[in-house]
Amino acid sequence: MAFNVKSKKSKKTYYLHSKEVKLAGGRKQMIYYFAGDERKNSLDALPKGYEVIENTRTGLPMLRKKK
């Protein structure tokens, strides 16, 4: 089952996904994002060293590195 978070503002559930993208210089980087539905590239747990925060204005979840 995919890692999910329920928004405190909208009460909607969001699922964590990852994707490897190629940057302009040719370097590859892993990105993490939340979506309203569960897809094939969903993650079962948070990446190590990250935490979930919620945008207070929009209610959308975001990942950030732990401080």
Side-chain angles (χ1 to χ4, degrees):
M1 181 162 167
F3 179 82
N4 62 60
V5 156
K6 191 169 187 176
S7 171
K8 294 173 188 166
K9 184 172 183 173
S10 68
K11 307 297 187 224
K12 186 176 177 186
T13 301
Y14 293 95
Y15 300 92
L16 180 62
H17 298 81
S18 67
K19 182 178 181 180
E20 188 174 53
V21 295
K22 189 174 181 181
L23 302 177
R27 188 174 66 106
K28 293 182 180 179
Q29 183 174 347
M30 185 66 68
I31 61 167
Y32 302 101
Y33 62 96
F34 285 93
D37 57 344
E38 193 172 348
R39 302 173 189 164
K40 67 175 184 167
N41 56 347
S42 62
L43 298 176
D44 293 332
L46 280 175
K48 188 176 181 179
Y50 284 85
E51 64 183 351
V52 178
I53 60 169
E54 186 174 308
N55 183 312
T56 54
R57 188 172 51 88
T58 63
L60 296 174
M62 300 179 287
L63 278 187
R64 75 171 178 193
K65 289 191 177 184
K66 288 184 180 178
K67 294 183 176 182

XYZ file of all heavy atoms in Angstrom:
546
model
N 0.842 -1.184 0.000
C 0.000 0.000 0.000
C 0.885 1.244 0.000
O 1.897 1.304 0.688
C -0.899 -0.003 1.225
C -1.791 1.178 1.272
S -3.139 0.886 2.392
C -3.739 2.527 2.534
N 0.499 2.222 -0.743
C 1.282 3.446 -0.890
C 1.185 4.321 0.357
O 0.165 4.329 1.045
C 0.802 4.227 -2.103
N 2.273 5.041 0.622
C 2.282 6.001 1.722
C 1.276 7.099 1.385
O 1.263 7.625 0.269
C 3.681 6.596 1.890
C 3.762 7.605 2.989
C 3.919 7.202 4.302
C 3.654 8.956 2.712
C 3.983 8.140 5.324
C 3.720 9.901 3.717
C 3.880 9.486 5.029
N 0.408 7.433 2.336
C -0.582 8.485 2.070
C -0.682 9.439 3.240
O -0.301 9.120 4.357
C -1.944 7.884 1.719
C -2.519 7.060 2.834
O -2.753 7.562 3.920
N -2.733 5.780 2.580
N -1.209 10.614 2.930
C -1.382 11.695 3.902
C -2.752 12.297 3.654
O -3.168 12.472 2.511
C -0.275 12.758 3.697
C -0.669 14.102 4.215
C 1.012 12.313 4.317
N -3.463 12.601 4.730
C -4.765 13.245 4.605
C -4.607 14.728 4.930
O -4.086 15.083 5.984
C -5.778 12.602 5.543
C -7.189 13.031 5.287
C -8.167 12.178 6.046
C -9.579 12.523 5.622
N -10.559 11.658 6.251
N -5.053 15.578 4.029
C -4.948 17.026 4.206
C -5.844 17.480 5.356
O -7.003 17.070 5.456
C -5.358 17.740 2.920
O -5.462 19.126 3.134
N -5.293 18.313 6.218
C -6.076 18.842 7.337
C -7.093 19.865 6.851
O -8.156 20.015 7.441
C -5.148 19.487 8.367
C -4.237 18.494 9.038
C -3.233 19.179 9.926
C -2.212 18.165 10.418
N -1.049 18.791 11.004
N -6.766 20.544 5.758
C -7.641 21.602 5.252
C -8.761 21.044 4.375
O -9.928 21.324 4.599
C -6.820 22.633 4.471
C -7.629 23.814 4.005
C -6.768 24.883 3.409
C -7.621 26.071 3.017
N -6.831 27.195 2.585
N -8.410 20.244 3.362
C -9.407 19.758 2.410
C -9.945 18.369 2.744
O -10.908 17.923 2.127
C -8.811 19.720 1.006
O -7.809 18.728 0.917
N -9.292 17.666 3.685
C -9.666 16.298 4.084
C -9.475 15.287 2.949
O -9.962 14.172 3.019
C -11.113 16.222 4.585
C -11.445 17.202 5.682
C -10.646 16.943 6.925
C -11.134 17.844 8.041
N -10.091 18.445 8.795
N -8.764 15.657 1.881
C -8.499 14.770 0.759
C -7.229 13.961 1.034
O -6.301 14.450 1.677
C -8.325 15.598 -0.516
C -8.187 14.771 -1.759
C -8.121 15.628 -2.996
C -7.916 14.729 -4.202
N -7.701 15.481 -5.420
N -7.181 12.729 0.540
C -6.019 11.861 0.723
C -5.092 11.989 -0.478
O -5.536 11.955 -1.626
C -6.461 10.396 0.880
O -7.339 10.311 2.005
C -5.274 9.481 1.097
N -3.787 12.124 -0.198
C -2.763 12.236 -1.237
C -1.758 11.104 -1.069
O -1.412 10.727 0.047
C -2.045 13.584 -1.133
C -2.934 14.754 -1.456
C -3.596 15.444 -0.444
C -3.122 15.169 -2.760
C -4.418 16.512 -0.739
C -3.949 16.242 -3.065
C -4.589 16.904 -2.055
O -5.414 17.965 -2.346
N -1.279 10.565 -2.197
C -0.354 9.432 -2.214
C 1.015 9.889 -2.711
O 1.114 10.664 -3.659
C -0.897 8.326 -3.118
C -2.239 7.816 -2.653
C -3.417 8.373 -3.136
C -2.324 6.805 -1.713
C -4.648 7.920 -2.698
C -3.553 6.339 -1.266
C -4.710 6.905 -1.761
O -5.922 6.465 -1.314
N 2.067 9.361 -2.078
C 3.441 9.729 -2.405
C 3.961 8.905 -3.577
O 3.801 7.684 -3.603
C 4.342 9.520 -1.181
C 5.808 9.862 -1.341
C 5.994 11.354 -1.663
C 6.582 9.498 -0.086
N 4.592 9.593 -4.550
C 5.163 8.965 -5.735
C 6.585 9.463 -5.953
O 6.975 10.507 -5.434
C 4.340 9.314 -6.981
C 2.936 8.820 -6.912
N 1.960 9.491 -6.223
C 2.356 7.724 -7.420
C 0.823 8.829 -6.337
N 1.040 7.742 -7.064
N 7.342 8.731 -6.756
C 8.691 9.159 -7.121
C 8.873 8.971 -8.621
O 8.186 8.153 -9.253
C 9.751 8.358 -6.366
O 9.739 7.017 -6.793
N 9.817 9.730 -9.157
C 10.098 9.660 -10.588
C 11.534 10.108 -10.812
O 11.974 11.091 -10.205
C 9.140 10.573 -11.341
C 9.300 10.566 -12.835
C 8.267 11.476 -13.470
C 8.380 11.463 -14.966
N 7.382 12.333 -15.594
N 12.263 9.413 -11.663
C 13.620 9.830 -12.004
C 13.548 10.691 -13.255
O 12.980 10.277 -14.267
C 14.513 8.610 -12.245
C 15.963 8.999 -12.415
C 16.873 7.791 -12.506
O 16.604 6.910 -13.337
O 17.847 7.748 -11.738
N 14.091 11.907 -13.167
C 14.075 12.835 -14.295
C 15.507 13.112 -14.737
O 16.443 13.008 -13.955
C 13.361 14.156 -13.945
C 11.890 13.925 -13.656
C 14.028 14.861 -12.795
N 15.642 13.473 -16.004
C 16.953 13.827 -16.546
C 17.022 15.344 -16.651
O 16.175 15.979 -17.276
C 17.134 13.182 -17.916
C 18.518 13.312 -18.468
C 18.651 12.519 -19.762
C 20.052 12.638 -20.294
N 20.187 11.886 -21.559
N 18.038 15.927 -16.026
C 18.206 17.378 -16.024
C 18.917 17.836 -17.287
O 19.448 17.025 -18.049
C 18.980 17.805 -14.782
C 18.353 17.411 -13.441
C 19.256 17.818 -12.295
C 16.985 18.020 -13.283
N 18.951 19.144 -17.514
C 19.522 19.714 -18.729
C 20.979 19.298 -18.953
O 21.393 19.067 -20.086
C 19.421 21.229 -18.698
N 21.761 19.174 -17.905
C 23.157 18.794 -18.039
C 23.364 17.298 -18.224
O 24.492 16.826 -18.300
N 22.289 16.522 -18.265
C 22.382 15.088 -18.439
C 22.352 14.309 -17.142
O 22.267 13.080 -17.147
N 22.423 15.015 -16.017
C 22.397 14.358 -14.708
C 20.984 13.874 -14.400
O 20.000 14.504 -14.773
C 22.850 15.348 -13.636
C 23.059 14.745 -12.274
C 23.647 15.755 -11.309
N 22.730 16.844 -11.041
C 22.054 16.985 -9.898
N 22.207 16.118 -8.926
N 21.255 18.005 -9.727
N 20.881 12.720 -13.734
C 19.583 12.183 -13.338
C 19.323 12.511 -11.877
O 20.243 12.522 -11.064
C 19.554 10.675 -13.538
C 19.619 10.280 -14.991
C 19.540 8.797 -15.160
C 19.619 8.447 -16.633
N 19.560 7.002 -16.844
N 18.059 12.804 -11.564
C 17.681 13.147 -10.196
C 16.318 12.547 -9.886
O 15.424 12.525 -10.735
C 17.630 14.662 -10.025
C 17.307 15.091 -8.624
C 17.415 16.598 -8.438
O 17.951 17.302 -9.287
N 16.907 17.077 -7.336
N 16.154 12.057 -8.667
C 14.885 11.499 -8.216
C 14.028 12.631 -7.644
O 14.501 13.417 -6.833
C 15.132 10.442 -7.141
C 13.889 9.711 -6.702
S 13.155 8.691 -7.974
C 14.384 7.420 -8.168
N 12.780 12.717 -8.112
C 11.854 13.707 -7.563
C 10.727 12.966 -6.850
O 10.406 11.823 -7.183
C 11.287 14.661 -8.637
C 10.497 13.895 -9.689
C 12.391 15.482 -9.272
C 9.673 14.788 -10.590
N 10.155 13.608 -5.860
C 9.055 13.054 -5.084
C 7.877 14.008 -5.185
O 8.048 15.227 -5.148
C 9.464 12.886 -3.618
C 10.671 11.997 -3.447
C 11.928 12.545 -3.225
C 10.558 10.622 -3.520
C 13.039 11.739 -3.077
C 11.658 9.799 -3.380
C 12.895 10.368 -3.164
O 13.997 9.565 -3.027
N 6.671 13.445 -5.314
C 5.480 14.294 -5.429
C 4.267 13.551 -4.885
O 4.262 12.325 -4.774
C 5.246 14.725 -6.881
C 4.999 13.584 -7.845
C 3.704 13.207 -8.177
C 6.051 12.887 -8.413
C 3.464 12.163 -9.053
C 5.827 11.850 -9.295
C 4.531 11.496 -9.617
O 4.293 10.449 -10.480
N 3.249 14.314 -4.537
C 1.996 13.752 -4.056
C 0.942 13.891 -5.145
O 0.902 14.891 -5.855
C 1.513 14.490 -2.799
C 2.295 14.123 -1.574
C 3.389 14.870 -1.175
C 1.929 13.024 -0.817
C 4.108 14.530 -0.052
C 2.644 12.675 0.314
C 3.734 13.431 0.706
N 0.094 12.864 -5.273
C -0.999 12.881 -6.248
C -2.270 12.408 -5.555
O -2.219 11.699 -4.542
C -0.674 11.977 -7.423
N -3.388 12.775 -6.121
C -4.678 12.425 -5.542
C -5.081 10.985 -5.763
O -6.041 10.496 -5.173
N -4.361 10.271 -6.636
C -4.648 8.866 -6.875
C -3.369 8.040 -6.778
O -2.273 8.573 -6.845
C -5.296 8.670 -8.246
C -4.441 9.213 -9.385
O -3.509 9.996 -9.121
O -4.708 8.853 -10.539
N -3.531 6.738 -6.612
C -2.392 5.837 -6.469
C -2.007 5.321 -7.852
O -2.844 4.809 -8.586
C -2.764 4.678 -5.550
C -1.601 3.876 -5.090
C -1.990 2.857 -4.036
O -3.104 2.925 -3.506
O -1.152 1.998 -3.761
N -0.728 5.468 -8.209
C -0.227 5.055 -9.519
C 0.844 3.989 -9.350
O 1.211 3.623 -8.241
C 0.343 6.267 -10.253
C -0.702 7.357 -10.419
C -0.114 8.610 -10.980
N -1.109 9.687 -10.927
C -0.822 10.954 -11.059
N 0.416 11.344 -11.243
N -1.780 11.854 -10.997
N 1.380 3.511 -10.482
C 2.346 2.408 -10.429
C 3.665 2.795 -9.766
O 4.357 1.935 -9.239
C 2.616 1.851 -11.828
C 3.335 2.808 -12.745
C 3.680 2.162 -14.063
C 4.471 3.138 -14.897
N 5.097 2.516 -16.022
N 4.040 4.072 -9.765
C 5.320 4.492 -9.183
C 5.151 5.056 -7.769
O 5.937 5.870 -7.327
C 6.024 5.500 -10.094
C 5.165 6.703 -10.411
O 3.980 6.707 -10.161
N 5.764 7.722 -10.979
N 4.145 4.565 -7.053
C 3.922 5.035 -5.683
C 4.939 4.397 -4.734
O 5.475 3.319 -5.005
C 2.497 4.714 -5.238
O 2.288 3.323 -5.235
N 5.196 5.074 -3.625
C 6.151 4.603 -2.624
C 5.413 4.084 -1.396
O 4.374 4.627 -1.008
C 7.083 5.745 -2.210
C 7.967 6.328 -3.304
C 8.758 7.510 -2.752
C 8.912 5.283 -3.841
N 5.991 3.064 -0.758
C 5.381 2.489 0.446
C 5.735 3.252 1.710
O 5.050 3.131 2.719
C 5.804 1.033 0.606
C 5.224 0.162 -0.500
O 4.162 0.505 -1.032
O 5.849 -0.862 -0.817
N 6.835 4.023 1.676
C 7.285 4.745 2.869
C 7.960 6.045 2.456
O 8.321 6.231 1.295
C 8.255 3.882 3.664
N 8.126 6.922 3.431
C 8.846 8.169 3.187
C 10.307 7.876 2.892
O 10.890 6.964 3.487
C 8.789 9.064 4.426
C 7.529 9.862 4.661
C 7.628 10.582 6.001
C 7.299 10.851 3.560
N 10.938 8.638 2.001
C 12.384 8.482 1.808
C 13.115 8.871 3.086
O 12.662 9.739 3.841
C 12.707 9.469 0.688
C 11.414 9.843 0.083
C 10.361 9.615 1.101
N 14.236 8.222 3.339
C 15.007 8.480 4.551
C 15.475 9.934 4.588
O 15.969 10.458 3.591
C 16.211 7.541 4.605
C 16.967 7.600 5.891
C 18.083 6.591 5.922
C 18.806 6.681 7.252
N 19.878 5.696 7.331
N 15.274 10.583 5.727
C 15.717 11.957 5.908
C 14.710 13.010 5.476
O 15.009 14.197 5.486
N 13.497 12.603 5.109
C 12.470 13.546 4.675
C 11.301 13.524 5.647
O 11.072 12.546 6.352
C 11.954 13.193 3.274
C 12.902 13.564 2.160
C 13.932 12.717 1.781
C 12.764 14.764 1.486
C 14.798 13.042 0.763
C 13.624 15.104 0.457
C 14.633 14.246 0.095
O 15.489 14.591 -0.912
N 10.526 14.609 5.645
C 9.311 14.701 6.443
C 8.228 15.383 5.621
O 8.520 16.087 4.657
C 9.569 15.486 7.733
C 9.950 16.928 7.530
C 10.279 17.647 8.830
O 10.065 17.095 9.911
O 10.751 18.792 8.742
N 6.985 15.171 6.006
C 5.844 15.755 5.298
C 5.414 17.021 6.009
O 5.277 17.040 7.229
C 4.665 14.763 5.239
C 3.462 15.396 4.547
C 5.070 13.492 4.535
N 5.212 18.078 5.229
C 4.618 19.310 5.752
C 3.406 19.634 4.884
O 3.251 19.078 3.794
C 5.619 20.492 5.762
C 6.124 20.796 4.359
C 6.759 20.224 6.712
C 6.898 22.094 4.259
N 2.545 20.507 5.370
C 1.360 20.891 4.605
C 1.378 22.390 4.362
O 1.622 23.168 5.284
C 0.098 20.495 5.371
C -1.169 20.722 4.584
C -2.398 20.187 5.298
O -2.386 19.009 5.695
O -3.350 20.963 5.467
N 1.125 22.777 3.130
C 1.032 24.183 2.783
C -0.211 24.734 3.484
O -1.326 24.248 3.262
C 0.918 24.336 1.263
C 0.901 25.771 0.815
O 0.167 26.592 1.349
N 1.689 26.061 -0.189
N -0.031 25.729 4.329
C -1.152 26.245 5.127
C -2.208 26.941 4.276
O -3.382 26.937 4.618
C -0.649 27.220 6.201
O 0.125 28.243 5.581
C 0.199 26.496 7.222
N -1.795 27.515 3.160
C -2.752 28.229 2.303
C -3.566 27.282 1.435
O -4.783 27.413 1.328
C -2.002 29.232 1.419
C -2.922 30.152 0.629
C -2.168 31.258 -0.100
N -1.068 30.799 -0.912
C -1.171 30.412 -2.183
N -2.345 30.428 -2.783
N -0.112 30.023 -2.847
N -2.907 26.299 0.810
C -3.594 25.412 -0.134
C -3.986 24.066 0.463
O -4.856 23.383 -0.074
C -2.707 25.140 -1.359
O -1.531 24.448 -0.939
C -2.340 26.420 -2.068
N -3.325 23.640 1.532
C -3.609 22.351 2.126
C -2.907 21.194 1.440
O -3.143 20.041 1.781
N -2.037 21.472 0.461
C -1.334 20.409 -0.258
C -0.119 19.937 0.530
O 0.619 20.743 1.086
C -0.898 20.900 -1.630
C -2.002 21.260 -2.604
C -1.422 21.862 -3.874
C -2.818 20.021 -2.933
N 0.093 18.621 0.569
C 1.275 18.098 1.266
C 2.541 18.288 0.425
O 2.484 18.297 -0.806
C 0.955 16.625 1.443
C 0.017 16.310 0.336
C -0.759 17.566 0.069
N 3.678 18.420 1.108
C 4.972 18.580 0.452
C 6.018 17.835 1.265
O 5.838 17.643 2.460
C 5.370 20.055 0.381
C 4.408 20.934 -0.380
S 4.907 22.660 -0.402
C 4.557 23.138 1.268
N 7.082 17.412 0.604
C 8.212 16.792 1.294
C 9.305 17.818 1.490
O 9.516 18.668 0.637
C 8.783 15.646 0.459
C 8.117 14.308 0.524
C 8.940 13.283 -0.249
C 7.915 13.824 1.924
N 9.999 17.709 2.612
C 11.185 18.524 2.825
C 12.182 17.698 3.632
O 11.804 16.750 4.331
C 10.875 19.825 3.531
C 10.609 19.694 4.999
C 10.518 21.046 5.662
N 10.221 20.856 7.075
C 9.845 21.828 7.875
N 9.693 23.039 7.402
N 9.609 21.593 9.126
N 13.454 18.060 3.499
C 14.469 17.366 4.265
C 14.313 17.748 5.726
O 14.001 18.893 6.058
C 15.856 17.728 3.767
C 16.147 17.133 2.421
C 17.592 17.270 2.058
C 17.814 16.565 0.723
N 19.199 16.558 0.328
N 14.526 16.755 6.603
C 14.414 17.023 8.043
C 15.483 18.005 8.472
O 16.596 17.977 7.983
C 14.577 15.726 8.832
C 13.408 14.808 8.724
C 13.603 13.589 9.603
C 12.415 12.665 9.491
N 12.616 11.451 10.294
N 15.096 18.869 9.372
C 16.038 19.868 9.890
C 16.709 19.353 11.137
O 16.218 18.580 11.870
C 15.309 21.170 10.180
C 14.787 21.812 8.942
C 14.148 23.137 9.266
C 13.703 23.817 7.971
N 13.133 25.101 8.193
